[in-house]
Amino acid sequence: MSQTHVRKLFSQGPFMRFWFARLAGVSANQMLMVAVAWHMYDITSSAWDLGLVGLFQFVPALLLMLPAGHVADRFHRARIFAACLGLQGMVALVLIAATQYHLASRELMLGISVLLGVARAFQMPAQQALVPQLVPQHLLQSAVALSSSGMQVAIIGGPALGGLLYTTGATTVYVTCAVLLVLGAVLALTVRYQHQLAPLNTTWQTVLAGFSFVWQHKVILGATSLDLFAVLLGGATALLPIYARDILHTGPVGLGVLRSAPAVGALCMSLAIMRWPLARHVGRHLLVAVAVFGVATLVFGLSSHFGLSLMALVVTGAADSVSVVIRSTLVQLETPNEMRGRVSAVNSMFIGASNQLGEFESGATAALFGAVGSVVLGGAGTVLIAASWLKLFPSLARRDHMQA
C-alpha cells in the first residue's frame, strides 16, 4: 500500500514541479545566506556586523509573517511563492553587480538582509499552505515527508556548495543562486490548482484570525506549542563550537560534521516515513518523538566521545523529523483551506521564534551553568514538556489517525 502511495505521489505533476521549485529555491537561499555572511565578514571583519546580518533577516520576517498569512489566503499561493523566489533572484543580481563593480558595503549587505527577510515572511506561509491543494488528502503525509526530505538535502548541501563556490569568488555563488532562483520561479509559475479569490477584508480581526483558530483547536495548539518548547529548550546547535573545540577536541571539519548530523538523521527518517507512513497512534508518536529528542540531547550533553555525540545528534534530527511530519500534516488537515495561509503563518512564527530564542536560551544558560549544564538542562526540560503535554493536551495524546 505504501509503495502505491509513493508511486502515486511521484505521479502528481503539479506537486512534483512545486517540489523541484522549492528544492531549487531553498538550496539557493541557503547558499545566499552563507555567501552574504562571509561577504559581510570580508568587508568589515566584525562579529557584531555578522550578527546583524541574521537580525536584519529575522526582524522583518517576524513582523510581516501575519500579514503574509493573510495574503496567502487571499491570492494565488504558487504565484506568491514564485514572486518570493523572484525577489531573491533580484537580490542575487544586485550582489553580482555590486561585487563586479566593487560597490559592496556594510550598508548594502544589511539592506540585502532585510529583503531576504521580507521574502522569507511571504514565502513560508504560501509554500506550507499550498501543498494540501496539490495532492489528495490520503497522500498528504507522504507529501509532507517528501518535502521535508528535500529541504534537508538543501540544508545539508546548500551551505556546503555555497562555501565551496565562494572559494572561487563571491560572484560565482551569486550567479549560481540567480540561476537556481529563476529556475525555481519559472517552475512555480507552471503550478496550477483550483484557486478561488477569497473575499477577505483586511482588518486586524482577519489578520489575527490564525491565532484565534490555533487557540480554539487544541490539537493544533498542542502540536505547535510542543514543537516551540522542544526547540526552545532542546536545541544545542548554538553551543556546537564549544563542544567541538573544548569537549570533543575536534577542529572545524568536526564542527561541520556535527552541524550536518541532525539534518542527516532528519533526511533518513523523512524517507522512511514516506515509504512507511504513520497510520495509527499519531498523537502518541508525536509525544514519544519529542521525548526521544530530549533524551538524545541529554546523551549529547553528557558525551565526551565524538562518535557517540555524532550519533546522538543524528537521533535528534530523526526524532525532530517525526515531529515535523506529524505536526505539519495535522495542522494542514485540521485547518480549512481558506485559513491555511494564516494558520501556517502562526506556525512559521512559532518555528522562527523558537529557533532564535532557543539559541539565546542556550547561550544564556551556558553562561550560568556551562555548556554541558545548558544542554543537559535543555534535554531534561524537553522530556518534562513531552510528559506534561500528555496531561495538558489529552486530545492530542489520544489522536489515533491523521484525519479526525
Side-chain angles (χ1 to χ4, degrees), residues 123-312:
Q123 179 176 329
M124 291 187 70
Q127 69 185 19
Q128 290 180 25
L130 180 58
V131 173
Q133 295 180 275
L134 303 180
V135 296
Q137 281 194 358
H138 68 281
L139 294 179
L140 182 57
Q141 184 186 157
S142 296
V144 171
L146 181 59
S147 297
S148 178
S149 66
M151 296 316 99
Q152 296 304 329
V153 169
I155 291 169
I156 295 169
L161 181 58
L164 179 64
L165 292 175
Y166 198 90
T167 61
T168 66
T171 303
T172 306
V173 185
Y174 298 142
V175 169
T176 305
C177 290
V179 171
L180 286 173
L181 288 164
V182 169
L183 175 62
V186 171
L187 282 173
L189 289 173
T190 67
V191 173
R192 300 285 186 268
Y193 68 93
Q194 291 185 343
H195 171 71
Q196 294 181 342
L197 188 65
L200 292 175
N201 295 319
T202 305
T203 65
W204 279 111
Q205 184 177 0
T206 58
V207 171
L208 297 175
F211 273 116
S212 300
F213 186 88
V214 170
W215 181 259
Q216 293 167 7
H217 291 75
K218 299 307 179 185
V219 169
I220 298 179
L221 178 62
T224 53
S225 59
L226 178 65
D227 181 77
L228 186 152
F229 283 106
V231 175
L232 179 64
L233 294 174
T237 304
L239 303 179
L240 285 181
I242 299 176
Y243 267 83
R245 189 186 68 181
D246 300 334
I247 297 173
L248 301 176
H249 306 294
T250 184
V253 174
L255 174 60
V257 172
L258 290 172
R259 281 192 174 275
S260 299
V264 171
L267 173 60
C268 293
M269 182 57 71
S270 297
L271 294 174
I273 292 175
M274 189 175 66
R275 174 64 178 81
W276 298 285
L278 300 168
R280 300 288 306 276
H281 311 301
V282 293
R284 190 186 308 168
H285 284 312
L286 176 61
L287 293 170
V288 169
V290 173
V292 170
F293 180 88
V295 171
T297 302
L298 272 170
V299 172
F300 173 80
L302 294 171
S303 171
S304 59
H305 186 274
F306 183 80
L308 179 60
S309 299
L310 191 64
M311 288 306 302

Side-chain angles (χ1 to χ4, degrees), residues 60-72 75 77 79-85 87-88 115-128 341 345 348:
L62 183 65
L63 294 178
L64 292 174
M65 197 69 76
L66 291 181
H70 177 81
V71 170
F75 300 104
R77 290 163 183 165
R79 293 172 188 166
I80 295 171
F81 178 75
C84 292
L85 296 188
L87 176 58
Q88 294 173 74
L115 291 178
L116 291 175
V118 171
R120 175 189 173 194
F122 285 89
Q123 179 176 329
M124 291 187 70
Q127 69 185 19
Q128 290 180 25
S348 297

Side-chain angles (χ1 to χ4, degrees), residues 4-16 139:
T4 302
H5 279 195
V6 172
R7 286 196 296 269
K8 287 183 178 179
L9 183 61
F10 280 98
S11 70
Q12 303 293 315
F15 170 74
M16 292 309 301
L139 294 179

